[in-house]
Amino acid sequence: MLLVAKLDRLSIRVAFLATLMESRVRFQAVDLPAADEFTLNILAAVAQKEASAISSRTRDALAAKKARDAVLGTPANLTPAARAKGLATRQAKAQANVHNRQAAQLATLLKATGATLRAIADRLNRSGYCTRRGKVFHPMGVQRLLAKRPERA
């Protein structure tokens, strides 16, 4: 049984909800414990209509703001200094990540035994390690992991 807090967190698309019901996947929305198939279809249709209306209102409001010569976005985030700061923050987080530090230790040991970057990546993936963002390791990621390894304290 798939349990969701609110029906709109499962889907606002009527077609998806209908496909889910047709495939006999059992699910329960905590906010609507007694809802039957008919009620769920009606609520999904209302949610889909509201999502479309929100999208239209947002598009219209942004177009009106642009027509008044307003600058959308944050231009300060596009400067070279801001981009460099963002890169430095991402690298610091990657180095501070405990899983990356453990993976770096294993990668260093494997590299010392003469393993290739591809072999190290395969071993890290088989051992259950993943990048800070939850992705699998590739040879380039291993190379970066080895190059950016923090010094021992």
Side-chain angles (χ1 to χ4, degrees), residues 9-70:
R9 295 293 175 215
L10 179 61
S11 176
I12 59 168
R13 307 274 313 150
V14 176
F16 176 80
L17 194 60
T19 302
L20 197 64
M21 287 190 274
E22 286 175 8
S23 65
R24 300 287 180 220
V25 171
R26 292 180 45 216
F27 64 92
Q28 180 71 48
V30 176
D31 63 335
L32 301 165
D36 61 2
E37 201 171 299
F38 176 73
T39 305
L40 292 174
N41 274 313
I42 289 174
L43 293 174
V46 170
Q48 184 172 332
K49 174 75 171 157
E50 181 58 22
S52 177
I54 289 170
S55 178
S56 294
R57 287 192 303 263
T58 302
R59 250 190 328 273
D60 294 345
L62 288 173
K65 188 167 185 156
K66 223 176 188 182
R68 292 188 305 265
D69 293 328

Side-chain angles (χ1 to χ4, degrees), residues 53-95:
I54 289 170
S55 178
S56 294
R57 287 192 303 263
T58 302
R59 250 190 328 273
D60 294 345
L62 288 173
K65 188 167 185 156
K66 223 176 188 182
R68 292 188 305 265
D69 293 328
V71 177
L72 301 179
T74 308
N77 289 344
L78 302 176
T79 66
R83 288 181 182 178
K85 183 179 177 185
L87 176 62
T89 300
R90 288 192 307 276
Q91 289 174 340
K93 284 183 180 180
Q95 289 175 1

Side-chain angles (χ1 to χ4, degrees), residues 86-105 130-133 137 141 143-152:
L87 176 62
T89 300
R90 288 192 307 276
Q91 289 174 340
K93 284 183 180 180
Q95 289 175 1
N97 184 281
V98 67
H99 298 292
N100 271 4
R101 289 198 315 261
Q102 291 171 349
Q105 288 176 344
C130 56
T131 67
R132 181 178 65 85
R133 293 185 176 189
F137 277 100
Q143 183 177 357
R144 290 182 184 130
L145 189 67
L146 291 169
K148 299 290 184 184
R149 182 137 192 260
E151 299 299 319
R152 291 185 182 169

Side-chain angles (χ1 to χ4, degrees), residues 106-124:
L106 179 56
T108 301
L109 292 172
L110 293 171
K111 186 68 174 168
T113 65
T116 65
L117 294 175
R118 180 164 303 286
I120 295 170
D122 290 342
R123 176 68 184 274
L124 289 173

